[in-house]
Amino acid sequence: MDEFMNAAIFQAKQGRQEGGIPIGSVLVKDGKIVGQGHNKRLQDGDPVTHAEIDCLRNAGRIGNYKGTILYSTLMPCYLCAGAVVQFGIKKVIAGESKTFPGAREFMVSHGVEVVDLNLDECEQMMTEFITTNPELWNEDIGK
């Protein structure tokens, strides 16, 4: 596993330690992390602070997203996939999509290359969270 997915996993674990949902994300440009974040919906009481959104906010105004890669421990949902498409991010690498299929087809239909690594560690983090906190997870995905 590469350093960037490891950084996203670290973010997910940090979010869980804060009492939140264990999803992390990093944005990479020119081989360097320019933004990182984790799901803070519970911590901030903000329904749109998903990991990818937190990551993009923390990256700040980088001007152009050409050549960037977004890493996420979970396949991005439609909210986050919309941000990917809106900003012209052309590659997303997800840790897993078994616990949540996300919006892969939406991104692909808009020219985004999507790679699903199917990582056991990412799947286990989400499975454990979903099993112990089904009401919080269902709220996060709009169920």
Side-chain angles (χ1 to χ4, degrees):
M1 182 172 10
D2 72 27
E3 64 180 296
F4 304 125
M5 185 53 71
N6 278 330
I9 290 170
F10 177 82
Q11 285 292 315
K13 290 178 179 178
Q14 182 177 341
R16 187 66 187 121
Q17 288 174 349
E18 295 171 1
I21 299 170
I23 305 169
S25 183
V26 298
L27 183 67
V28 175
K29 185 172 186 174
D30 299 325
K32 296 180 182 175
I33 294 174
V34 295
Q36 51 192 332
H38 51 274
N39 186 302
K40 293 183 181 173
R41 190 180 62 78
L42 298 174
Q43 299 93 310
D44 292 354
D46 181 351
V48 297
T49 309
H50 288 198
E52 299 86 349
I53 301 301
D54 188 47
C55 174
L56 291 170
R57 282 180 176 153
N58 290 331
R61 294 182 63 222
I62 64 170
N64 186 317
Y65 292 85
K66 185 177 181 178
T68 60
I69 302 170
L70 184 73
Y71 286 76
S72 182
T73 58
L74 184 65
M75 186 65 68
C77 68
Y78 281 94
L79 169 72
C80 300
V84 165
V85 171
Q86 177 68 30
F87 294 121
I89 298 168
K90 293 297 183 187
K91 186 169 186 177
V92 170
I93 300 178
E96 67 101 0
S97 64
K98 290 180 185 173
T99 60
F100 180 70
R104 178 185 190 133
E105 292 81 16
F106 172 80
M107 291 185 287
V108 169
S109 75
H110 285 84
V112 178
E113 177 186 354
V114 179
V115 178
D116 185 350
L117 298 176
N118 294 310
L119 297 175
D120 289 337
E121 183 175 8
C122 294
E123 183 183 349
Q124 288 171 0
M125 278 193 297
M126 287 309 302
T127 298
E128 180 182 309
F129 181 83
I130 293 167
T131 300
T132 58
N133 301 281
E135 68 290 340
L136 293 175
W137 174 243
N138 287 333
E139 182 183 320
D140 198 55
I141 60 171
K143 283 190 176 181

